[in-house]
Amino acid sequence: MKKILTLTLCLALLLGLFSGCGGKQYDPLAGVETTVFTDDAGRDVTVPADITRIAASGSTAQMILMTLVPELLVGLSSSPSTAQRPYFPAEMWTLPTFGQFYGSKANLNMEALIDAEPQLIVDLGDAKENVRSDMDGIQKQTGIPTVFLEATLEEMPQAYRKLGALLHREAEAEVLAVYLEQTLAMAAENSAKLPQDARKTVLFGTGATGLACNAEGSVQADVLPLVGAVNAIHSEEISNRNGGTTVNLEEVYACDPDVILLAAGGPYDTLAESEWSGLTAVKNGTYYEIPNLPYDWMSSPPSINRVLGIYWLGNLLYPELYDYDMVEKAQEFYRLFWHYELSAEEAEQLLARSTLKPGREGQ
């Protein structure tokens, strides 16, 4: 009898999930023409031939989808903050919030998802070892076709092309893909010109203390080697979560980086008057706060923002090679990807804490 009761309870819970916890039944493939899409996890997924309503599996995917098909999103992984709102289309401000679909921070709001009736769930990012089972799990849990596309920096151009084909936005996707390819080629060419002894060491710190670091090998810090920098922090166990390697100041002094990058909310304002003050980068004024609107330009999450990070960090570290006006580059990127006309004044404000300190030129 106990086994029967337990089985009955489990079935009831499952039915609650698939009905959106409110009795609503939803089948995105019912009565529509379908096609089969092979995703980057090697899965053949049956999807609607004409997709007009999509959901992102998390913030990394949301950012990429926002740059190509913002009008197709029926909800967000997280709602925009007051500071982010100007960069979002106004109609997105009040979209429902679905949360993160899977992983250690999963907090999926199933009822909101089913109520929004997406025809497709899209996941983009670096392929984890269990990506195939993760995608199968989401699709089974939600009853909605779910696809994965590889979106490392190197694969980002192709991710846009595949998205363009899937969502019938080939022309728009090609413009962005070409921009990405040109950016990656520019970085590779400039980085190749740097001899080893000219490559600057960089600490990439996050969190309130700045000591939660994105170490060498972390996808969160992959812009550093691309532009020709050397990550000052090494770890035997690499975490791709933001700030996955926590260090202490003794370790920072041991590597004494040429440059310190701090995420917003870190100790930027107090660095010169704190225990960090004896570091070469602090004495030289080569410490910076990464621009962070609408998202951090380097990571958190490691999505399309990293492309602008290539231009910013390259110009910051090696202006003789990455020789362009960073305000103009920011304006171009925001226009192409965020569909936002960034003014020169807005760009300068974003960059205000991320340029060389006055009086330090030439150091």
Side-chain angles (χ1 to χ4, degrees):
M1 180 62 70
K2 287 183 178 179
K3 289 182 178 179
I4 293 173
L5 288 173
T6 300
L7 180 59
T8 302
L9 178 60
C10 289
L11 287 171
L13 288 172
L14 284 171
L15 286 171
L17 284 175
F18 285 109
S19 62
C21 305
K24 181 177 181 178
Q25 299 294 324
Y26 170 59
D27 180 359
L29 300 180
V32 300
E33 183 182 352
T34 62
T35 186
V36 175
F37 179 80
T38 302
D39 73 1
D40 287 345
R43 299 161 59 251
D44 291 331
V45 184
T46 300
V47 302
D50 183 24
I51 298 167
T52 59
R53 301 174 64 81
I54 57 177
S57 68
S59 53
T60 300
Q62 174 181 301
M63 288 174 61
I64 294 173
L65 291 168
M66 281 178 62
T67 64
L68 183 62
V69 285
E71 73 281 4
L72 300 189
L73 285 166
V74 295
L76 303 174
S77 62
S78 58
S79 298
S81 66
T82 301
Q84 289 174 317
R85 279 191 172 192
Y87 304 96
F88 284 57
E91 55 271 21
M92 296 182 70
W93 295 3
T94 56
L95 286 177
T97 301
F98 300 147
Q100 181 78 27
F101 283 46
Y102 71 106
S104 60
K105 295 184 178 180
N107 58 345
L108 173 60
N109 184 332
M110 181 68 77
E111 185 172 4
L113 178 69
I114 299 302
D115 282 346
E117 297 189 352
Q119 299 165 289
L120 179 72
I121 296 169
V122 180
D123 185 56
L124 293 119
D126 58 311
K128 310 294 192 300
E129 185 177 348
N130 54 344
V131 63
R132 188 183 182 98
S133 60
D134 284 339
M135 296 303 103
D136 287 343
I138 294 173
Q139 187 162 313
K140 185 176 180 180
Q141 181 187 19
T142 63
I144 301 169
T146 302
V147 300
F148 169 77
L149 291 175
E150 182 84 22
T152 61
L153 269 172
E154 293 78 8
E155 294 296 327
M156 195 78 75
Q158 288 308 312
Y160 271 91
R161 289 188 173 106
K162 291 173 185 177
L163 268 178
L166 176 63
L167 303 174
H168 307 298
R169 297 289 194 281
E170 289 90 344
E172 299 93 323
E174 184 63 21
V175 171
L176 302 182
V178 168
Y179 180 94
L180 296 174
E181 286 175 335
Q182 291 173 344
T183 301
L184 293 169
M186 176 269 300
E189 181 181 348
N190 287 341
S191 179
K193 295 175 182 177
L194 286 166
Q196 196 60 38
D197 59 3
R199 295 173 181 258
K200 296 181 180 180
T201 57
V202 179
L203 179 142
F204 184 174
T206 73
T209 65
L211 295 173
C213 294
N214 291 313
E216 180 184 16
S218 168
V219 68
Q220 298 278 357
D222 56 8
V223 170
L224 270 65
L226 273 173
V227 302
V230 177
N231 198 317
I233 302 300
H234 306 264
S235 176
E236 292 183 2
E237 295 185 8
I238 300 300
S239 171
N240 280 329
R241 295 179 65 181
N242 193 39
T245 301
T246 300
V247 300
N248 56 47
L249 268 176
E250 184 178 346
E251 292 173 281
V252 176
Y253 270 92
C255 64
D256 197 18
D258 299 315
V259 174
I260 295 170
L261 304 181
L262 296 171
Y268 175 88
D269 288 320
T270 60
L271 219 59
E273 292 78 37
S274 69
E275 294 176 293
W276 297 65
S277 61
L279 290 162
T280 298
V282 179
K283 289 189 288 188
N284 287 347
T286 53
Y287 61 94
Y288 314 98
E289 186 174 270
I290 302 165
N292 70 319
L293 287 174
Y295 296 96
D296 183 293
W297 287 11
M298 290 281 288
S299 65
S300 188
S303 188
I304 191 63
N305 48 350
R306 294 172 294 171
V307 176
L308 186 54
I310 291 172
Y311 284 106
W312 169 70
L313 188 61
N315 180 252
L316 189 66
L317 300 182
Y318 311 112
E320 69 283 359
L321 291 175
Y322 296 83
D323 185 14
Y324 40 76
D325 186 320
M326 194 56 224
V327 167
E328 293 178 359
K329 282 296 180 185
Q331 289 177 301
E332 179 185 26
F333 185 89
Y334 277 66
R335 183 181 307 112
L336 277 173
F337 288 87
W338 294 118
H339 318 291
Y340 180 81
E341 289 297 329
L342 187 73
S343 70
E345 292 74 20
E346 288 174 316
E348 289 166 0
Q349 185 175 358
L350 287 170
L351 292 161
R353 298 160 72 88
S354 61
T355 54
L356 196 64
K357 310 298 177 293
R360 302 290 186 176
E361 291 78 2
Q363 291 193 17

